[in-house]
Amino acid sequence: MKLYQKITCALLIVCAAVFTACGGSGKLKDGTYTESSVGHNGTLTLETVIKDGKIADIKTVESSETKGLGQAAVDLLCRAIVENNSIQVDTLTGATISSNCVKRIMQETVKKAGASDKTIASMAAVAVRPAAEKTSYEYDIVVIGAGGAGLTAAITAKQGGASVAVLEKNGFAGGNTMVSGGGLNVAGSDLQQKNGITDSVEKFTEDTLKGGDYKNDPVLVGIMARNSVAAYNWLRDDIGVPFMQERVQQFGGHSVPRACVPVGNSGYTITEALVKKCETLGIDIFYETKAVKLLKENDVVTGVEAENGGKTVSFVAKKGVVLATGGFGANVAMRVEYNPAYGSEYKTTCIQAAQGDGIVMAQAVGAKLVDMGYIQVYPTCNPKTGIISYVANSRFDGAVLVNKEGHRFVNEGGRRDVISQAILAQTDKCAYLVWGSEIESAGKMTQIHAKEFEQLKATNLLVQADTLEDAAKAAGIDAAALAAEIAEFNSFVDGKKDPKFQKTGAFRKIAEGPFYIETVTPSTHHTMGGVAIDAQTRVQSVSGGAIKRLFAAGEVVGGIHGTNRLGGNAITDIIVFGRIAGSEALKD
Ligand code: FAD
């Protein structure tokens, strides 16, 4: 070794020693640092402990990020930062805003702890979800999409003895299922029996067909209704999903209350339990892995081509591929392609991943599509963000809808499409949901969804007042007209009949304060169209018959809900057909 090489080498060793002594992140001063920034839903505050010059711990002190989604990004990024003592972490696909918020906070934190820009730049780049190790994998069954349908199919297939991979384009599991209210309709559940509700498979089937204007595939509807109890029992007993015991919800269009609601009134309760089950069973979930193409040889689907970490990775599926990629509610271009009425003037309740990828991939291998023009809007969403308002589920406990002029205009317990169209016909294309303490004590929506309640109040979308008049004035509604309308409505409740709009569902007075008035508007919510399947969930070909070894379950499928999906039917659908897809794919 020449002299200058020896000197350089010695200098490098000294630098490395100094760098390591400082924890690899430069000179960080020990201490506890608290920093905040604005995330997706509100303020995020992190408390960071620096010990021996290293980032030793990060705690979330305050967060409004969505459980499992933005909060997954916060948790995963913080863990990666501590494990690697570096803030140069990448963002999590599907949760960019929350990821960037964490990065901003940590940038400020390490700067306060004495790190220079140069030190920060020299920190090692860290992948929060490490890239796939190989470019080719082989499994019995490959499931595309780690939402409710995909995770259910994967668990069922694995329990049947198959090796299973789940490909998920986001950095986290859950899909729309996670952000849903989680309520699933079950005809004949223990909860209905406990609450003295009489129901039957026939009634459930008829309500669903009627709700979909009889455009539904009756065979698939029958399968869903007949298997609803088994799906619910499976979630509760095999997967360990806890359900609210005191609540059986009656969504619009159902003739009796039949929705079993998971604790927290959140689909996250379901997906969290499904993911845990996958981990227990040793199912490989490949995150940040976007399926781009179905591989087909001699008319048989043989696997999936995917993108992971900038590379193409192929997944051979020896027995079958299950498509469970969800709908296309967030894809404006695709919505307009199939129904020009649902363009960018509508915000969406869906997560951004709902782009219809599976439908496009299936179409490329000859799949038949059905009902693509049937797109559902949800009537009571946040006019600023488009996201669903769970506080507004007080509608199911009896809250009424009025317009700016203070008048009711629709049956609040009716179909989503009818209510949405009626709202869009009102002044400012929005409506005001009104309820008082009688309805609040029945459903406790402001308590169950306390964070959303506070956000709605902070953004002036919800007012709470001791008198109806004060609430009306604060909401900008004609107070005198509203008082007269509500007095009339209360007389309808006394007479147990609504001659004006034939209100269905819960029927309660609005007489005692505090009163609540929430501003709501419709957003696109669900896409009823998708790939055609048969009773075994085999994807049907445009040329007739099934495409060999290609199965589908969940919102990627069309035909089950006709023109209009009834509330609570999607979760029943994804669990029932997810289980069928997982077991049918095994049979080949
Ligand atoms: P998802 O849960 O959306 O999962 C699809 C997954 O596939 C996602 O994780 C996505 O990232 C992934 N993916 C997509 N493309 C690819 C690709 N190319 N490669 C890899 N992965 C991919 N229904 C009810 O019955 N009851 C309710 O209370 C209810 N509430 C709702 C509330 C909201 C806000 C929303 C948006 C919907 C609600 N729904 C409800 C509808 C219901 O949640 C959905 O229809 C259902 O969860 C869809 O499940 P899924 O498994 O088919 O799709």
Side-chain angles (χ1 to χ4, degrees):
M1 198 185 275
K2 292 189 177 144
L3 183 62
Y4 76 88
Q5 283 176 319
K6 280 183 184 164
I7 293 168
T8 312
C9 194
L11 274 173
L12 278 175
I13 290 167
V14 171
C15 286
V18 170
F19 196 63
T20 310
C22 297
S25 60
K27 290 189 182 246
L28 295 184
K29 275 184 275 179
D30 284 5
T32 301
Y33 302 83
T34 306
E35 284 296 323
S36 300
S37 188
V38 177
H40 190 273
N41 301 338
T43 304
L44 175 71
T45 305
L46 300 178
E47 186 185 271
T48 304
V49 176
I50 311 272
K51 204 173 158 200
D52 301 331
K54 284 187 177 178
I55 304 168
D57 189 31
I58 309 172
K59 271 195 189 70
T60 303
V61 177
E62 181 192 2
S63 171
S64 313
E65 303 307 277
T66 310
K67 264 190 188 174
L69 200 157
Q71 192 58 45
V74 174
D75 296 342
L76 286 166
L77 262 73
C78 289
R79 197 167 70 198
I81 290 169
V82 171
E83 278 173 9
N84 296 281
N85 195 35
S86 166
I87 67 163
Q88 298 293 359
V89 286
D90 56 10
T91 57
L92 211 62
T93 304
T96 315
I97 296 174
S98 308
S99 302
N100 284 335
C101 181
V102 171
K103 290 167 74 161
R104 275 196 307 278
I105 290 175
M106 291 313 297
Q107 178 100 0
E108 282 311 303
T109 301
V110 294
K111 275 189 175 171
K112 277 204 176 145
S116 65
D117 288 345
K118 207 170 153 198
T119 308
I120 293 171
S122 70
M123 288 178 175
V126 176
V128 178
R129 292 288 196 191
E133 284 164 11
K134 302 193 282 182
T135 52
S136 175
Y137 292 85
E138 192 174 280
Y139 287 88
D140 290 331
I141 290 168
V142 177
V143 177
I144 313 177
L151 295 172
T152 298
I155 292 167
T156 310
K158 182 77 182 184
Q159 286 177 329
S163 61
V164 182
V166 181
L167 316 185
E168 171 52 55
K169 70 175 173 182
N170 276 335
F172 48 86
N176 263 343
T177 312
M178 172 178 63
V179 298
S180 78
L184 76 155
N185 291 311
V186 183
S189 69
D190 58 344
L191 296 182
Q192 280 183 321
Q193 283 158 23
K194 240 193 234 172
N195 288 280
I197 300 158
T198 311
D199 199 2
S200 68
V201 166
E202 291 71 30
K203 237 194 242 182
F204 183 15
T205 305
E206 175 54 25
D207 287 348
T208 302
L209 291 170
K210 188 175 169 198
D213 292 320
Y214 299 96
K215 300 281 185 201
N216 334 44
D217 179 332
V219 173
L220 298 179
V221 175
I223 292 172
M224 180 178 79
R226 277 197 304 281
N227 289 283
S228 63
V229 172
Y232 158 73
N233 288 346
W234 181 78
L235 276 181
R236 190 193 56 198
D237 303 336
D238 287 26
I239 306 301
V241 176
F243 284 90
M244 290 161 95
Q245 295 299 301
E246 71 287 1
R247 189 173 175 85
V248 184
Q249 195 164 321
Q250 183 172 3
F251 283 107
H254 291 277
S255 54
V256 294
R258 58 166 67 100
C260 304
V261 184
V263 167
N265 196 175
S266 168
Y268 178 67
T269 309
I270 297 178
T271 55
E272 185 188 30
L274 288 170
V275 170
K276 267 195 196 136
K277 188 74 177 183
C278 286
E279 285 166 3
T280 310
L281 292 173
I283 292 170
D284 294 336
I285 303 181
F286 290 79
Y287 292 102
E288 303 271 353
T289 305
K290 181 179 178 181
V292 290
K293 193 175 159 188
L294 294 169
L295 304 171
K296 199 175 168 191
E297 277 170 35
N298 305 324
D299 280 346
V300 179
V301 170
T302 55
V304 182
E305 192 175 287
E307 284 167 2
N308 170 286
K311 278 195 255 156
T312 299
V313 182
S314 62
F315 290 86
V316 172
K318 288 185 284 176
K319 284 175 175 282
V321 171
V322 178
L323 270 181
T325 44
F328 59 98
N331 186 335
V332 179
M334 197 161 169
R335 279 182 350 220
V336 172
E337 180 185 348
Y338 290 103
N339 191 333
Y342 297 106
S344 55
E345 63 275 26
Y346 283 96
K347 294 192 170 76
T348 186
T349 64
C350 300
I351 62 166
Q352 274 313 304
Q355 295 289 325
D357 299 359
I359 296 172
V360 175
M361 283 187 280
Q363 208 178 9
V365 294
K368 180 179 163 190
L369 306 185
V370 286
D371 296 349
M372 290 298 288
Y374 299 147
I375 293 171
Q376 182 171 78
V377 284
Y378 193 85
T380 50
C381 303
N382 182 317
K384 292 185 181 162
T385 61
I387 61 176
I388 201 166
S389 168
Y390 285 116
V391 172
N393 276 357
S394 50
R395 183 166 60 97
F396 303 120
D397 301 309
V400 299
L401 288 163
V402 300
N403 55 22
K404 207 175 178 59
E405 294 74 29
H407 300 299
R408 284 179 70 218
F409 54 88
V410 74
N411 164 16
E412 294 84 354
R415 287 165 45 148
R416 292 172 173 181
D417 54 348
V418 175
I419 300 175
S420 297
Q421 287 308 319
I423 292 176
L424 292 175
Q426 308 306 313
T427 307
D428 299 336
K429 296 190 171 165
C430 68
Y432 302 86
L433 194 67
V434 183
W435 72 104
S437 70
E438 300 89 343
I439 290 166
E440 182 52 34
S441 8
K444 300 187 181 64
M445 283 299 118
T446 67
Q447 288 173 39
I448 293 175
H449 303 289
K451 267 192 181 160
E452 188 203 346
F453 177 55
E454 291 308 324
Q455 277 160 15
L456 289 169
K457 282 201 294 187
T459 50
N460 298 321
L461 288 170
L462 192 150
V463 294
Q464 177 184 354
D466 289 338
T467 66
L468 187 62
E469 190 183 359
D470 285 350
K473 281 183 183 156
I477 301 175
D478 184 323
L482 181 68
E485 187 74 47
I486 297 299
E488 182 187 53
F489 176 76
N490 286 341
S491 73
F492 295 162
V493 177
D494 284 336
K496 296 188 173 56
K497 198 167 183 234
D498 170 16
K500 226 170 172 177
F501 296 106
Q502 291 74 45
K503 185 176 181 325
T504 47
F507 209 25
R508 290 192 176 90
K509 275 192 164 177
I510 304 172
E512 298 285 334
F515 295 93
Y516 306 86
I517 300 184
E518 183 183 345
T519 315
V520 292
T521 198
S523 288
T524 62
H525 183 57
H526 189 90
T527 44
M528 275 71 72
V531 299
I533 57 164
D534 64 7
Q536 285 79 41
T537 72
R538 294 178 300 192
V539 174
Q540 301 298 291
S541 153
V542 271
S543 50
I547 298 176
K548 289 191 189 106
R549 294 197 194 157
L550 182 61
F551 303 82
E555 203 175 321
V556 69
V557 169
I560 300 171
H561 305 288
T563 58
N564 170 56
R565 173 182 67 79
L566 294 187
N569 272 5
I571 303 294
T572 312
D573 160 5
I574 65 174
I575 306 299
V576 166
F577 289 99
R579 293 180 76 204
I580 296 174
S583 58
E584 287 296 327
L586 268 177
K587 287 185 183 165
D588 190 6

